Amino acid sequence: MASIKVFGHATTTSTRRVLLTLQEKNLDYELVNVELKDGEHKKEPFLSRNPFGQVPAFEDGDLKLFESRAITQYIAHRYKDQGTNLLPADSKNIARYAIMSIGMEVEAHQFDPAASKLAWEQLFKHIYGLTTDKAVVAEEEAKLAKVLDVYEARLKEFKYLAGETFTLTDLHHIPVIQYLLGTPTKKLFTERPRVNEWVAEITKRPASQKILQ
Ligand SMILES: N[C@@H](CCC(=O)N[C@@H](CS)C(=O)NCC(=O)O)C(=O)O
């Protein structure tokens, strides 16, 4: 039995962020399905894993965690020498860690709020029989465009967002980008040449492909 367990739902971006990290690390794990449509995440036993009632939650032996980005950082450090290194290449360079942290914060607080709202409006709402609000799409696309302008400038200097190697900063973006590539918002990525290359690079990774299956 795998000692790593992910409690979540395979279609959600936060769960996928953790699954991607485990795939990059070639780690065995068990995905324990939490059925969101039945509200399983809002009641026990899930609330004991995450009192905020959101997926994913995570277990590695006796250690129990929640918050996808905290989980990915635990995995990247705990299993540093296994699979893909997802931390800065020079592990003794604290400044490079700080730069990776900036990228992770920007993803969580600037990129993801707009990107997730766009995925909700244009994809997930349909699943619930709801209609896309075009005004919200326009507003969130304007916010996302500003973030992507910053990324375009950054990617003119470096291959990846935190430097010359693929790190957690890049990985954290993948699940929601994969969804947005199936919506008209795709244009925001394709019309920026360096962002377009970066998106192609990070989404063609074997782990990224596997998560889609
Ligand atoms: N900051 C949290 C966000 C988790 C989150 O928003 N999860 C969503 C799925 S992507 C969820 O559980 N939604 C159901 C709900 O909030 O009721 C993380 O990264 O783990």
Side-chain angles (χ1 to χ4, degrees):
M1 217 169 62
S3 76
I4 296 180
K5 288 185 185 169
V6 181
F7 300 81
H9 196 282
T11 60
T12 66
T13 53
S14 301
T15 303
R16 285 187 175 186
R17 201 172 282 125
V18 172
L19 300 182
L20 257 176
T21 309
L22 292 166
Q23 295 282 354
E24 287 284 359
K25 289 282 170 196
N26 293 322
L27 290 165
D28 286 334
Y29 62 88
E30 181 188 344
L31 174 61
V32 181
N33 188 54
V34 177
E35 204 44 78
L36 301 188
K37 70 172 164 35
D38 298 339
E40 274 182 23
H41 56 314
K42 300 295 182 198
K43 38 189 189 212
E44 293 295 353
F46 186 80
L47 285 179
S48 296
R49 300 195 173 275
N50 179 357
F52 297 102
Q54 289 188 315
V55 292
F58 176 87
E59 194 177 288
D60 186 4
D62 291 337
L63 180 71
K64 291 180 173 55
L65 301 172
F66 61 91
E67 281 295 336
S68 64
R69 296 168 185 87
I71 299 167
T72 63
Q73 288 177 72
Y74 162 77
I75 298 167
H77 282 93
R78 166 71 182 79
Y79 299 99
K80 190 172 183 313
D81 298 326
Q82 203 161 324
T84 310
N85 177 29
L86 298 169
L87 301 171
D90 176 1
S91 62
K92 293 202 171 59
N93 190 332
I94 298 166
R96 296 240 61 95
Y97 273 91
I99 288 165
M100 183 181 78
S101 295
I102 293 173
M104 292 192 292
E105 293 291 322
V106 170
E107 182 277 326
H109 302 295
Q110 309 289 343
F111 176 89
D112 190 63
S116 285
K117 278 190 200 126
L118 286 163
W120 164 251
E121 283 296 334
Q122 300 174 96
L123 292 169
F124 297 113
K125 263 189 162 181
H126 297 305
I127 298 168
Y128 294 96
L130 302 167
T131 317
T132 300
D133 184 332
K134 290 192 174 130
V136 172
V137 170
E139 199 178 315
E140 297 305 323
E141 282 194 341
K143 289 183 197 164
L144 187 61
K146 282 189 182 163
V147 180
L148 294 179
D149 284 342
V150 174
Y151 284 12
E152 181 70 8
R154 173 99 189 135
L155 293 165
K156 278 182 183 147
E157 283 183 68
F158 301 98
K159 184 166 184 207
Y160 295 99
L161 288 175
E164 289 307 322
T165 57
F166 178 76
T167 66
L168 284 179
T169 296
D170 307 292
L171 181 148
H172 286 178
H173 291 78
I174 294 171
V176 74
I177 288 180
Q178 285 176 325
Y179 278 123
L180 290 180
L181 292 179
T183 72
T185 299
K186 178 180 178 178
K187 66 181 180 298
L188 296 186
F189 300 105
T190 55
E191 69 197 7
R192 291 172 174 79
R194 291 308 329 273
V195 166
N196 191 36
E197 270 174 49
W198 169 74
V199 165
E201 192 74 31
I202 63 175
T203 54
K204 78 172 187 215
R205 298 179 68 80
S208 307
Q209 292 297 314
K210 201 153 184 199
I211 232 69
L212 290 176
Q213 286 156 22

